[in-house]
Amino acid sequence: MNTEALNRLETRIDHAFRDRSLVERALTHPSLLPERPDLTESNQRLEYLGDAVLQLILAEALYGLFPGDREGLLSKRRATLANGPFLAGLAREIGLDLALQLGAGEEASGGRARAAALEDAFEALVGALFLDGQLDETRRVVLRIYGPLGERLASADDFENPKGRLQELIQPLHGNKAVRYEVVRVGGEDHAREYEVAVFLLDRQLGTGRGPSKKSAEEAAARAALIAMHVA
């Protein structure tokens, strides 16, 4: 474990873990387990817990912030703040990418910058916070990371058409055919497919995204690229 990166992470989120094994597990990518027989668990179970806790915190905050909104709009706002590339962007802001523990192969293939890995780690971190400090402390830390939710939502307007926004940015410099999308993984059962797509500018990968369809995965990859380019 990179102790210096972990110390910086705790400083940035303003929470010192009483049980550091929780945050260490939250930062353990599944690719590390085959190389470390002393580790018995990756961050996947914490990711499951953190996803549920994060949804609750955002739902509660948005319910109070927008008293006139109906259920559908509140759900849309929450989805914007909790989608994968958005969470990956938050992970980078707090230095989670630098503290992530990866297997050698995943590290060599650019896993530290991969949006899917950062999204999972962010949700796992929320799960670790919940187990370490319970809901009130987790709510405080999470909302501090987000900052004003209204401003976050306003900055996410481009997420409604991320592929179009990415094309608008790249086309003047590189032409119409410079951006391409490539399916890099298909998983899940036949009735519950999950696609992972990478978006490239010529031969340079800009971002990756996951979704239940190829289209949604492409949109998620475009959002990740916009975040990486610091324009979303």
Side-chain angles (χ1 to χ4, degrees), residues 131-144:
L131 294 179
D132 193 67
Q134 300 302 311
L135 183 58
D136 286 346
E137 173 66 0
T138 307
R139 181 190 295 110
R140 182 192 70 82
V141 174
V142 166
L143 294 180
R144 183 178 183 273

Side-chain angles (χ1 to χ4, degrees), residues 184-204:
V184 294
R185 186 184 66 84
V186 180
E189 303 294 332
D190 289 343
H191 64 280
R193 287 295 189 198
E194 181 182 71
Y195 294 81
E196 183 172 355
V197 168
V199 58
F200 295 86
L201 167 57
L202 301 175
D203 292 325
R204 179 165 66 94

Side-chain angles (χ1 to χ4, degrees), residues 106-135:
E106 185 71 12
E107 181 80 71
S109 65
R112 190 171 299 277
R114 190 167 290 129
L118 296 177
E119 169 197 354
D120 293 348
F122 187 89
E123 291 176 338
L125 177 65
V126 174
L129 284 165
F130 178 73
L131 294 179
D132 193 67
Q134 300 302 311
L135 183 58

Side-chain angles (χ1 to χ4, degrees), residues 80-91 146 152-153 155-156 159 227:
T80 296
L81 294 172
N83 70 56
F86 198 96
L87 296 185
L90 293 178
Y146 271 88
R152 287 288 191 182
L153 288 165
S155 70
F159 277 35
I227 290 173

Side-chain angles (χ1 to χ4, degrees), residues 125-183:
L125 177 65
V126 174
L129 284 165
F130 178 73
L131 294 179
D132 193 67
Q134 300 302 311
L135 183 58
D136 286 346
E137 173 66 0
T138 307
R139 181 190 295 110
R140 182 192 70 82
V141 174
V142 166
L143 294 180
R144 183 178 183 273
I145 292 171
Y146 271 88
L149 295 184
E151 293 181 14
R152 287 288 191 182
L153 288 165
S155 70
D157 283 345
D158 286 336
F159 277 35
E160 294 301 313
N161 181 20
K163 293 178 67 176
R165 174 61 172 151
L166 185 62
Q167 186 68 26
E168 287 176 4
L169 291 171
I170 290 175
Q171 181 177 331
L173 296 174
H174 300 282
N176 290 329
K177 298 182 179 180
V179 177
R180 64 181 175 86
Y181 295 85
E182 180 180 321
V183 176

